[in-house]
Amino acid sequence: MTNKIKSIMWVLFLPTFLYSSDFRVGVTKVNITPNTSQNLIGYGPRDSKGVLDSIYHRIVVLEDGIDRFALVSSDLAAISPATYQNAAKRIKSLYDVNEQDLWWTNTHTHSAPEVGSAGVIPYFLGERYEHEYDRAYTKFVEDMLVKGIGLAIEKLELAKLGVGWGYSRANINRRARGIDDKTFLGENPDGPIDRKIGLIRFENEIGKPIVLISNYPIHGTVLSISDLRISGDVPGVVSNYVEEKIGAPLLFINGAEGNIAPRFSISINNSGNKEKFLNQFKRLLGDKILEANENIISTTENVKFRTRQIVIETPLKNGLDANAWPEDMDSYLRINSAGEGIIRMPINFLMINKDLAIWSAPLELFCEISNEIRAHSPFPYTFYYGIANGTLGYLPTEAEFKLGGYEPGVSPFSVKAGDHLIKEVSNVLEEEDRIRD
């Protein structure tokens, strides 16, 4: 491979500038619980039996009278980038929301139905996708997303912004180590972790909450593979709990959860009350979100924000066949003159006023990478919104690649991709710092 191909490349899209003295926000919550049995993803193939709690699209739209930005949190494990693109085209045509201004995130519950094509996962776990996905349910989820965007636009109202931090011990590193230094899925109390809650509050003119947006990294894996009920798992249960307390929707946006599990989960052989394991997260995480909300003591109606997108190009992992890349994801891979695959990874940015920078990626990112970017960011509040606009899979650090285990084994990326990501995202944040007012 030439030095040119080894190097990272990115394509810069011009920012979209938005400013308004009558900043408006609209929010809606749309039920996407299926009424038929569905294949659940996140573990091995299995069909759902019953519903523990309903699953939803939660949608917030920001508008300044000229442009719109839409953020979606769905109680799904993941979608492919191709599924995102299908929905984005419809939403652009109906509501004039540009693709880089539509962020469709997934909470990563492992007790939700499969939606759309499998994306890159069959590269490594083909046995999970020997069946045809349910096209009727996929269309229903997409239709409800499109409908939900319209409903949120109809509810737009003047709003004020508040932002703050919280902290919760509801998660734990899941890269367990044996005495032989082999890595396996388990609990590692000494492993890297991110326990910060990044919180955004939008409220109306009289201070009543319109919506909370909570950012926290955690796998939705409290319920085990043996529980076949549909559920939002931790993100869903926590969202419902907070909503009951504040009287407004909560969008749970997962963070860099690639190597982070819930602090407690249910073993396959546990025969006790499974709901009690989920419900404890109402206190462990839900109450911490509520506390962080109470600690936001100031808001502003003067909101200035802009979006930006870069595309990072980084090599496909050695040994993977670029020609086996899924056809419906052609725009996320190119093959160079040497026949080597180069992954094209879109990274989106949302800068709000002088203090808040949010970046998102279609990744299950290891928390060390997000922590590094945040630690050196010039913005006081820097949030990472993960599993956004589809997923390209796990992105571990170089050190964790060398330790092996599940996540590196099913990642399509080279060992240097994490360093590339840190460099290029940090460069953008530094540039945005120089141009902010």
Side-chain angles (χ1 to χ4, degrees):
M1 184 179 293
T2 67
N3 290 334
K4 180 178 180 182
I5 297 304
K6 286 183 178 179
S7 65
I8 196 73
M9 299 177 64
W10 54 275
V11 181
L12 176 63
F13 291 81
L14 292 176
T16 301
F17 290 94
L18 308 170
Y19 177 76
S20 180
S21 59
D22 61 345
F23 173 65
R24 297 192 298 163
V25 171
V27 64
T28 194
K29 177 179 174 181
V30 183
N31 196 313
I32 56 170
T33 310
N35 55 20
T36 58
S37 178
Q38 295 291 319
N39 179 52
L40 303 177
I41 65 169
Y43 302 115
R46 57 205 174 107
D47 292 331
S48 66
K49 292 182 180 179
V51 176
L52 176 59
D53 51 274
S54 294
I55 57 175
Y56 299 90
H57 292 313
R58 292 172 171 91
I59 302 166
V60 62
V61 172
L62 316 181
E63 189 179 272
D64 72 339
I66 301 174
D67 293 301
R68 290 173 175 154
F69 176 86
L71 174 66
V72 182
S73 172
S74 298
D75 291 317
L76 301 171
I79 59 171
S80 79
T83 301
Y84 160 74
Q85 285 186 317
N86 288 338
K89 290 176 183 177
R90 291 179 61 185
I91 291 166
K92 167 64 177 176
S93 66
L94 289 171
Y95 306 119
D96 198 27
V97 177
N98 294 322
E99 185 170 313
Q100 75 179 53
D101 298 330
L102 170 66
W103 294 11
W104 183 2
T105 71
N106 293 268
T107 64
H108 205 50
T109 170
H110 281 40
S111 296
E114 174 185 29
V115 173
S117 61
V120 300
I121 301 176
Y123 248 140
F124 315 99
L125 301 168
E127 71 280 0
R128 293 189 183 182
Y129 293 93
E130 294 175 348
H131 60 277
E132 175 70 13
Y133 70 85
D134 189 327
R135 294 182 180 275
Y137 181 68
T138 296
K139 183 178 185 303
F140 168 74
V141 169
E142 182 181 311
D143 287 347
M144 295 306 289
L145 173 61
V146 173
K147 178 181 178 181
I149 296 285
L151 292 173
I153 290 171
E154 291 176 3
K155 296 179 179 180
L156 285 165
E157 59 181 308
L158 293 174
K160 297 183 287 185
L161 165 72
V163 61
W165 289 113
Y167 183 85
S168 168
R169 295 180 181 272
N171 59 14
I172 190 169
N173 187 288
R174 73 176 198 166
R175 299 263 294 162
R177 305 270 200 273
I179 196 166
D180 56 2
D181 244 2
K182 290 185 178 179
T183 302
F184 56 93
L185 293 178
E187 295 181 353
N188 183 359
D190 296 325
I193 198 69
D194 178 10
R195 290 186 164 135
K196 283 193 171 185
I197 301 168
L199 192 67
I200 297 172
R201 182 174 76 222
F202 293 116
E203 61 185 43
N204 64 17
E205 293 177 288
I206 62 173
K208 181 179 179 181
I210 300 172
V211 63
L212 292 184
I213 304 173
S214 176
N215 178 215
Y216 186 79
I218 190 168
H219 259 77
T221 52
V222 168
L223 297 176
S224 71
I225 188 173
S226 64
D227 195 319
L228 301 178
R229 294 172 296 177
I230 287 171
S231 172
D233 207 271
V234 171
V237 167
V238 168
S239 296
N240 291 333
Y241 172 72
V242 172
E243 289 169 352
E244 290 173 0
K245 296 293 185 180
I246 67 171
L250 168 73
L251 272 69
F252 189 105
I253 311 294
N254 222 316
E257 47 63 62
N259 54 345
I260 297 180
R263 181 62 187 86
F264 305 103
S265 58
I266 302 169
S267 68
I268 292 176
N269 297 320
N270 188 286
S271 59
N273 181 359
K274 296 181 179 181
E275 283 80 354
K276 73 180 179 182
F277 287 88
L278 271 177
N279 287 335
Q280 67 185 323
F281 286 89
K282 294 178 181 179
R283 169 161 290 183
L284 290 170
L285 183 51
D287 282 348
K288 301 302 182 182
I289 293 171
L290 293 169
E291 181 180 313
N293 183 43
E294 290 295 324
N295 288 335
I296 296 176
I297 58 176
S298 64
T299 58
T300 179
E301 61 186 9
N302 296 313
V303 178
K304 179 180 180 180
F305 65 99
R306 60 184 173 272
T307 61
R308 178 173 176 175
Q309 184 184 85
I310 62 173
V311 176
I312 297 175
E313 295 196 333
T314 189
L316 189 67
K317 183 196 292 184
N318 287 338
L320 294 182
D321 182 4
N323 292 311
W325 188 262
E327 291 183 5
D328 63 355
M329 291 177 53
D330 282 348
S331 60
Y332 295 88
L333 187 87
R334 69 177 179 87
I335 299 178
N336 65 19
S337 58
E340 299 157 326
I342 306 297
I343 299 175
R344 305 185 74 251
M345 180 168 47
I347 310 296
N348 287 299
F349 297 83
L350 173 66
M351 276 64 65
I352 303 179
N353 290 351
K354 298 181 180 181
D355 299 325
L356 175 58
I358 308 170
W359 65 284
S360 70
L363 298 170
E364 290 195 58
L365 191 66
F366 272 35
C367 69
E368 301 96 304
I369 297 171
S370 175
N371 288 348
E372 176 77 9
I373 290 170
R374 185 175 64 207
H376 295 95
S377 171
F379 290 82
Y381 299 96
T382 302
F383 303 159
Y384 167 67
Y385 285 8
I387 324 177
N389 299 349
T391 182
L392 294 172
Y394 288 100
L395 181 49
T397 62
E398 182 176 2
E400 293 295 320
F401 262 116
K402 293 177 180 178
L403 288 169
Y406 172 70
E407 300 92 346
V410 297
S411 172
F413 295 98
S414 69
V415 297
K416 293 292 186 180
D419 291 339
H420 294 166
L421 184 64
I422 290 171
K423 177 182 177 182
E424 298 307 327
V425 171
S426 296
N427 284 344
V428 170
L429 295 176
E430 291 292 340
E431 290 173 7
E432 290 298 326
D433 180 49
R434 289 193 291 270
I435 66 175
R436 61 181 170 168
D437 293 337

